[in-house]
Amino acid sequence: MIRHHAVRRRFVLGLIGVTTIIALVAFARLGFEWKQALDDVDAMIVTPVVLAPTPEPVGSAPVTVDVPLAVTPTVAPTSVPENDDPVNILLLGADARIGEEISRTDAIILLHINPRSGRVSMLSFPRDLMVETPGFGRRKINSVYLIGETRLGKGYGAALLKQTVSDLVGVPIHHFALINFEGFRKVIDLVGGISIDVPKAIDDPRYPVDAFPGDVRTMRVHFDPGPQWMDGERALIYARTRHADSDFGRNQRQQQVLLALVARVRERGLLSQINQIDDYTGALRDYVRTDIPRSEMIRLARVATRLDLDNIQRYAIDSKMIITLGNPDTFTADPEAVREMVDRMIAGGAPAP
């Protein structure tokens, strides 16, 4: 009997030992994954910079700067929201072709997060919208990032675009997050694709192939109406195509894709995301750049559980708000209409039909 108890005791101790080893290995692996994830996140974060003072305009003529400004990047003053203060983040999709390091921004969306009310809103800007750019006069909004990077220096693209958008909408832009096409494809493929309900048939005979540097070929793409599953490549085409309708239609599709991605991530479950956190950060570290510090990311992650992600409000500068500038293809936005819409968005009002 004593021997029997001893054997059972050794068995139990052995089981506990094996279980402990497995747990330690699991925790070690999780710790390694988190360390790798943090390293990946740090690789995405860039130091924010401030713009040099813009010369005062003479009369009513806009001030333009045709040569690089002799400025040195400096750390931006602290303007990070605290506690439950609302935060405005500029989401940018880079129109970088193969072989390009700096490019225009193909997608520009202002994300407004209000932790107090739990509201989340998105405001899209058409890429061809003419805007007053500090120091450079009136330019297309999709070229502002490129101008900042090439005329002012590395890191100034986002700073110039944030200030330009802030001047237009009348609210501060706290942060930006930029992702290029390859990163966009990767994150959607990583979650296993997204479900999109295409509202109407789309047929674009001139979608860019972009298979190698300097590729100017085009191809025909088509989407049938109705619900369908899209991988990263298909979702990118859906978000980028515009020859079938307009920039205004593309803005709606870009928002639709973002909402579908949010829904898919939530559907996969929080635990799944934690276990695979380094997979996500590893896939995105070379394709995402942001000035959101790690502490702010943690703050936003904490308030995410209180946000009403089932009712994200969608706004856009559309054809009802534009003013044509001579050439029918050149337009700007009615400043009063934009401010009224932004006030409604901040207050939590529903978008106008």
Side-chain angles (χ1 to χ4, degrees):
M1 179 65 70
I2 295 176
R3 182 182 179 187
H4 175 73
H5 283 301
V7 170
R8 187 171 64 178
R9 184 169 178 271
R10 285 197 298 270
F11 173 77
V12 172
L13 290 176
L15 181 61
I16 293 174
V18 171
T19 304
T20 302
I21 292 173
I22 293 175
L24 289 174
V25 170
F27 278 118
R29 181 175 183 275
L30 186 59
F32 173 78
E33 289 174 350
W34 275 102
K35 181 183 184 304
Q36 183 60 55
L38 292 176
D39 290 343
D40 293 336
V41 168
D42 288 341
M44 302 178 199
I45 299 174
V46 298
T47 302
V49 298
V50 293
L51 298 175
T54 302
E56 292 294 328
V58 179
S60 59
V63 174
T64 59
V65 179
D66 294 325
V67 296
L69 299 181
V71 291
T72 302
T74 57
V75 177
T78 300
S79 61
V80 177
E82 298 180 354
N83 301 321
D84 281 350
D85 291 341
V87 59
N88 299 313
I89 303 173
L90 206 56
L91 305 180
L92 308 174
D95 187 15
R97 308 305 171 102
I98 294 178
E100 291 182 343
E101 293 185 5
I102 304 173
S103 67
R104 293 178 173 84
T105 46
D106 196 60
I108 304 173
I109 298 175
L110 175 59
L111 182 68
H112 176 72
I113 302 172
N114 189 331
R116 295 193 186 101
S117 63
R119 291 192 304 267
V120 181
S121 306
M122 295 189 297
L123 169 59
S124 290
F125 301 84
R127 58 175 293 188
D128 292 332
L129 179 71
M130 299 295 290
V131 291
E132 291 297 332
T133 306
F136 294 92
R138 186 173 284 171
R139 303 296 179 103
K140 283 188 178 181
I141 194 169
N142 74 323
S143 69
V144 175
Y145 178 86
L146 180 63
I147 291 172
E149 290 290 306
T150 56
R151 299 286 190 89
L152 302 181
K154 186 175 178 59
Y156 280 92
L160 185 63
L161 185 53
K162 284 165 62 178
Q163 188 60 55
T164 298
V165 172
S166 179
D167 292 344
L168 175 63
V169 301
V171 298
I173 308 300
H174 302 107
H175 302 294
F176 82 95
L178 179 144
I179 185 170
N180 67 15
F181 292 160
E182 185 62 26
F184 180 89
R185 284 191 288 258
K186 279 182 175 292
V187 71
I188 291 181
D189 286 337
L190 201 58
V191 299
I194 56 176
S195 177
I196 295 288
D197 188 358
V198 180
K200 62 180 181 180
I202 296 176
D203 189 44
D204 183 355
R206 293 181 292 142
Y207 186 84
V209 174
D210 193 27
F212 51 82
D215 189 0
V216 296
R217 295 175 300 164
T218 60
M219 63 181 181
R220 178 179 294 275
V221 296
H222 177 81
F223 292 87
D224 291 322
Q228 48 203 276
W229 199 259
M230 298 185 187
D231 62 8
E233 181 64 27
R234 188 70 172 164
L236 176 63
I237 293 174
Y238 180 74
R240 288 190 65 205
T241 180
R242 67 188 180 113
H243 295 116
D245 43 24
S246 65
D247 274 338
F248 306 116
R250 180 163 66 169
N251 283 348
Q252 295 176 352
R253 290 193 296 276
Q254 290 171 349
Q255 290 187 354
Q256 188 183 15
V257 168
L258 283 178
L259 292 179
L261 180 57
V262 170
R264 179 61 173 161
V265 169
R266 296 177 67 200
E267 179 185 304
R268 294 281 300 261
L270 180 61
L271 182 59
S272 172
Q273 310 312 313
I274 291 177
N275 289 341
Q276 301 176 23
I277 186 67
D278 61 324
D279 292 337
Y280 288 90
T281 57
L284 295 176
R285 66 173 289 161
D286 293 331
Y287 307 108
V288 173
R289 291 295 176 266
T290 182
D291 62 354
I292 305 177
R294 196 196 293 178
S295 59
E296 179 70 352
M297 292 183 188
I298 294 173
R299 183 182 84 95
L300 293 175
R302 287 173 178 167
V303 305
T305 56
R306 296 178 299 171
L307 300 177
D308 185 5
L309 299 180
D310 291 321
N311 189 32
I312 297 178
Q313 297 292 309
R314 300 168 61 182
Y315 299 81
I317 295 179
D318 57 24
S319 58
K320 300 175 184 177
M321 305 172 61
I322 66 171
I323 300 173
T324 302
L325 300 173
N327 187 324
D329 294 330
T330 306
F331 60 90
T332 188
D334 180 346
E336 291 187 8
V338 172
R339 296 297 178 91
E340 289 176 4
M341 178 179 60
V342 172
D343 288 344
R344 189 167 62 251
M345 180 178 78
I346 299 299

